[in-house]
Amino acid sequence: MDIQFVAQIDASADVVAFPVRKGEAASLEALLGAAAAQARFEGAAGSVAETAAIDGGKARRLLLVGIGDGTIHDLERGGAALTARLQTSGVTTAHVDFASAGDCDEDDVLAFAMGARLRNWRLDRYRTRLPDNAKPTLTNLVIASPAGDLSARWGSYSAVADGVALTQTLVAEPPNILYPESFVERCQHLSDLGVEIEVLDERQMKALGMGALLGVAQGSTRPPRLLAMRWNGGKEGEAPVVFVGKGVTFDTGGISIKPAAGMDMMKWDMGGAGAVAGAMKAIAGRKAKANVVGVVGLVENMPDGNAMRPGDIVTTMSGQTVEVLNTDAEGRLVLCDAISWVQKSYDPKVIVDLATLTGAMVISLGHEYAGMFANDDELADQLQAAGEASGNKLWRFPLSPAYDKLIDSPIADMKNVGPREGGSITAAQFLKRYVGEGVAWAHLDIAGMAWSDKDGPVWAKGATGYGVRLLDRFIADNFEG
């Protein structure tokens, strides 16, 4: 979708949308006021009402778009609602009149545009018989506001939206299309933005002693990969912030196989890796003044005759040993070796990992928040604030030696699962054992957030792109001058 910003509305526009704050519908002019009354439209964020008018013999489509209390999130929701209403309507260009929206500044207009852009993502490449009336038509949005041309500022917003779209595409792709090698290929274009790409293959990871990650991958014919994406936008020599993503491109559970019902959805078990890739695209696309590295461990977890067995013991890159009691608790085995590698390779002061790690997190928080675990209060506060600002919300959970005891193994350094109780916490305690002294670390369990079975504020049913805006905002607020 191409978004343009102008100083005033085009008087000849066929389709015009009017943003309306909550409680201000009663003050609209007669025609729009009547449309609002008939639809019981009160300006709630994301609500839409419409009518038609004849102007000089020409029919015009007029829409009222609710922007609630005018918060950034309400404005994004309003922009998304407009896209949702018009995306397959046959309309190609819509105009938005912010001049009549009352007290709105540049940030308000840009937030509305961001919501409209985010909601426009779709994946239609496999739908060969899509009816014409279901095909997207909306290609242009022209937004008029007293602020006039905002294209210079829009560039950064657009870069973040591009990152979200990359994540959504990666998460939504089927597992026969997206697997470790093809995931790497999908990220090669980041080099055009200035991102340095490094890829480790199976031989290199074996030489490094990544027995946990390789153990997960050994049941699949798809070879594993470790992908590192480095953006050097900050001071030369300054330690980077490192993001680590779980990239299980398909998860059968391995020998501890999952039930058949719903297993198809395990294509999005690489949602953490997808978020890291999208965040790197956003950060590089807007030329962030920070040093950031994104690393993703990419495997497919399959149950063939060479697969890891329950009861196996693997040796991680750190030298610690793990008794694998459940091969479906594989994400932490991928992450632990990736976390060890990034510390050896980049000597970071901050590590944030993201993973669709535990079903227990969905039981705890549903689909409203991702869970956060951190060994540093300042880092936790920074991430919490970035989550609120970006709409990718987080809720902090505890870490404690009392939980740590639950994953002690009688024959190895640790086991990869604890009891059913506190399952998300024991997974975090497992990862914490691979974080070195003096490194601020946070683990984000995004199991309930990477995919949605219903439309959200700025996404349609399916891949949400969760994590990209969170990580980008975290960098912008805390690591750029």
Side-chain angles (χ1 to χ4, degrees), residues 249-280:
T249 58
F250 191 71
D251 181 22
T252 66
I255 297 299
S256 306
I257 198 163
K258 295 176 180 291
M263 191 193 290
D264 59 295
M265 298 312 297
M266 287 298 96
K267 68 179 184 177
W268 52 255
D269 207 20
M270 38 58 64
V276 169
M280 294 307 298

Side-chain angles (χ1 to χ4, degrees), residues 10-15 52-61 95:
D10 183 350
S12 64
D14 294 332
V15 180
I54 303 298
D55 185 3
K58 178 181 179 181
R60 304 181 73 196
R61 187 173 182 177
H95 297 250

